Amino acid sequence: MDLFTFVKYFEKMISIQRYLSPEKWETLVQSLPYKLPTAILGHSVKGKPINGHRLGTGSKKVLLWSQMHGNESTTTRALLDLLYHLDTAPGAALLKGLTLMIIPQLNPDGAAAYTRLNANGVDLNRDAIALKEPESRILNRVFENFTPDFCFNLHGQRTIFSAGKWGKPATLSFLSPAADEKRTITPERAKAMQLIAGINKELQPAIPDQIGRYDDTFNPNCVGDRFTSLGVPTLLFEAGHFGLDYDRNFTKEMVLKALIFALNAIHTDGYLNHTVEEYHLIPDNEKDYVDLIIQQVDVKTEDGVYKNQELAVQYREEKTDNGIYFNPVCHSFGAKLELLSHRMANAKEILETPLIDFSLNKSIEIS
Ligand SMILES: [Zn+2]
């Protein structure tokens, strides 16, 4: 493979699916086979409507929101599939037992710009007490008025996470956030833990050893910690990586499976059959992965050339006109890297001269 082809190899790394603008989302919702009940809950910094969808007539109430971080679209896409599911017979049964409040894009400005932060540059998941941002205030008001029995805080995570040290990629990760500094297992936390333990058991056959559990250090500025401390079991869902599925279509299916299972388990109280101990057996989320390791490469730096190295490459997600481009940037190099990767390549096989310029966090360049 020559230089040109090598560069092309990366250029193919564009995902149309990962970019979900509010306009695209609106089109998807319009094509549902039923009219989705919609209320405008308020507006974002840039004046975009933030919609809520209230469904069901049951006594148990679940509040779900996604894309609080605008570039985390996978769980929103799973919510669309959930909305289709709710139109089936099992879905209708679910809506007899539950009342759902779904906010699919809490941060529509971030969704449009493909940024984690809102239009004021604020991480909404650190604004749970200050409530400086309109999006945070909207969520907080819905939380107070709707008085949920459970909350689902739906996110997406980067490709770097493994389920346990040197484990498989964390395709899904969960957390029952702490309610205080001591990380007391309050009755509400225990419920969230039991429910996550149930989801884990349900999903293991589909993604064995690919479910992780987040660290529960207390941060009252995070929404999940805040809502848990206010006495409502809150589950953090993180849609992660699987194989080379950079579109995250498979992950989306797993999120849907997790959502349907979790809602049924709340409806039937089935989650009570699971234990806090089972929750703690889920392996910790660790940061072990890069996207690509190129072996047998000569690495050129300001200090000189290092022969026969391993070069770790991380893809930086960038919004383009066509979708999300995965820009390969230099992560690290060494004779033998202590890292796992989603893909391996051998420079000798793909380059005529296996020499790559290294510049930390810069796009890779071939000399
Ligand atoms: Zn997030």
Side-chain angles (χ1 to χ4, degrees):
M1 191 184 290
D2 59 14
L3 171 59
F4 180 75
T5 320
F6 186 69
V7 172
K8 280 281 161 203
Y9 176 78
F10 288 117
E11 280 182 355
K12 283 186 200 145
M13 294 291 297
I14 284 190
S15 171
I16 298 166
Q17 321 247 23
R18 286 283 283 278
Y19 181 61
L20 184 57
S21 68
E23 291 75 23
K24 190 164 145 194
W25 172 252
E26 188 56 35
T27 312
L28 294 170
V29 165
Q30 292 293 339
S31 55
L32 281 167
Y34 61 98
K35 176 126 181 61
L36 185 65
T38 302
I40 296 178
L41 305 171
H43 293 85
S44 67
V45 172
K46 287 194 164 177
K48 286 196 190 331
I50 295 171
N51 295 321
H53 311 291
R54 189 180 171 124
L55 297 134
T57 51
S59 58
K60 292 175 189 162
K61 291 184 279 183
V62 186
L63 170 61
L64 309 87
W65 66 93
S66 70
Q67 259 176 304
M68 147 181 277
H69 294 142
N71 58 349
E72 298 171 0
S73 59
T74 307
T75 43
T76 308
R77 291 164 54 210
L79 283 177
L80 181 73
D81 293 348
L82 178 69
L83 292 172
Y84 274 94
H85 174 79
L86 293 173
D87 194 42
T88 64
L94 206 51
L95 292 178
K96 284 212 172 77
L98 302 177
T99 301
L100 307 180
M101 172 59 92
I102 302 176
I103 308 174
Q105 286 189 325
L106 184 65
N107 177 6
D109 297 338
Y114 201 74
T115 57
R116 174 182 176 88
L117 310 177
N118 80 344
N120 285 334
V122 173
D123 185 338
L124 299 177
N125 206 20
R126 301 293 181 272
D127 191 34
I129 291 180
L131 297 175
K132 283 199 180 128
E133 301 305 309
E135 297 88 354
S136 309
R137 290 195 291 273
I138 287 165
L139 179 62
N140 194 61
R141 197 173 62 236
V142 171
F143 176 81
E144 285 174 353
N145 294 341
F146 182 64
T147 59
D149 297 294
F150 275 91
C151 290
F152 292 179
N153 184 11
L154 306 173
H155 288 253
Q157 66 187 356
R158 289 184 292 156
T159 55
I160 60 174
F161 295 103
S162 55
K165 196 70 191 159
W166 307 126
K168 291 186 189 175
T171 304
L172 292 181
S173 298
F174 295 93
L175 173 68
S176 159
D180 55 34
E181 293 283 352
K182 287 184 183 158
R183 300 185 278 182
T184 311
I185 299 174
T186 60
E188 294 79 26
R189 266 200 95 187
K191 281 186 179 181
M193 288 175 173
Q194 288 172 288
L195 186 50
I196 290 169
I199 298 169
N200 178 53
K201 187 160 187 223
E202 176 72 12
L203 273 285
Q204 277 297 328
I207 38 173
D209 306 318
Q210 283 152 95
I211 298 175
R213 179 172 52 86
Y214 265 93
D215 173 73
D216 66 348
T217 305
F218 181 58
N219 184 345
N221 299 308
C222 294
V223 175
D225 303 53
R226 174 79 179 150
F227 288 179
T228 305
S229 69
L230 292 170
V232 179
T234 301
L235 286 77
L236 172 72
F237 287 65
E238 291 277 357
H241 202 66
F242 182 88
L244 293 177
D245 179 23
Y246 283 85
D247 285 326
R248 300 229 164 144
N249 290 329
F250 177 76
T251 303
K252 183 195 71 161
E253 284 175 35
M254 294 302 106
V255 174
L256 175 66
K257 242 173 128 76
L259 287 172
I260 292 173
F261 174 85
L263 292 174
N264 275 300
I266 293 171
H267 175 32
T268 62
D269 284 331
Y271 70 93
L272 295 171
N273 297 326
H274 298 276
T275 63
V276 168
E277 289 70 33
E278 286 170 61
Y279 171 81
H280 282 117
L281 288 174
I282 301 171
D284 288 325
N285 246 34
E286 301 278 354
K287 292 178 184 172
D288 283 342
Y289 277 86
V290 292
D291 290 294
L292 169 69
I293 290 177
I294 307 173
Q295 295 177 304
Q296 292 199 291
V297 63
D298 297 339
V299 175
K300 190 173 150 194
T301 73
E302 284 178 353
D303 305 329
V305 173
Y306 296 81
K307 291 270 186 194
N308 196 22
Q309 301 287 300
E310 290 188 339
L311 174 67
V313 176
Q314 202 69 272
Y315 299 153
R316 192 167 58 210
E317 295 171 21
E318 293 171 3
K319 180 178 166 292
T320 68
D321 290 344
N322 303 323
I324 302 308
Y325 168 53
F326 297 88
N327 184 1
V329 303
C330 295
H331 176 278
S332 54
F333 69 91
K336 184 85 191 84
L337 291 172
E338 296 236 325
L339 283 168
L340 298 170
S341 69
H342 298 296
R343 169 149 63 180
M344 295 287 250
N346 190 306
K348 292 235 163 87
E349 288 168 15
I350 56 178
L351 292 171
E352 276 164 16
T353 317
L355 186 66
I356 295 181
D357 289 352
F358 183 89
S359 187
L360 188 66
N361 295 327
K362 295 269 164 58
S363 293
I364 66 168
E365 281 177 33
I366 296 155
S367 292

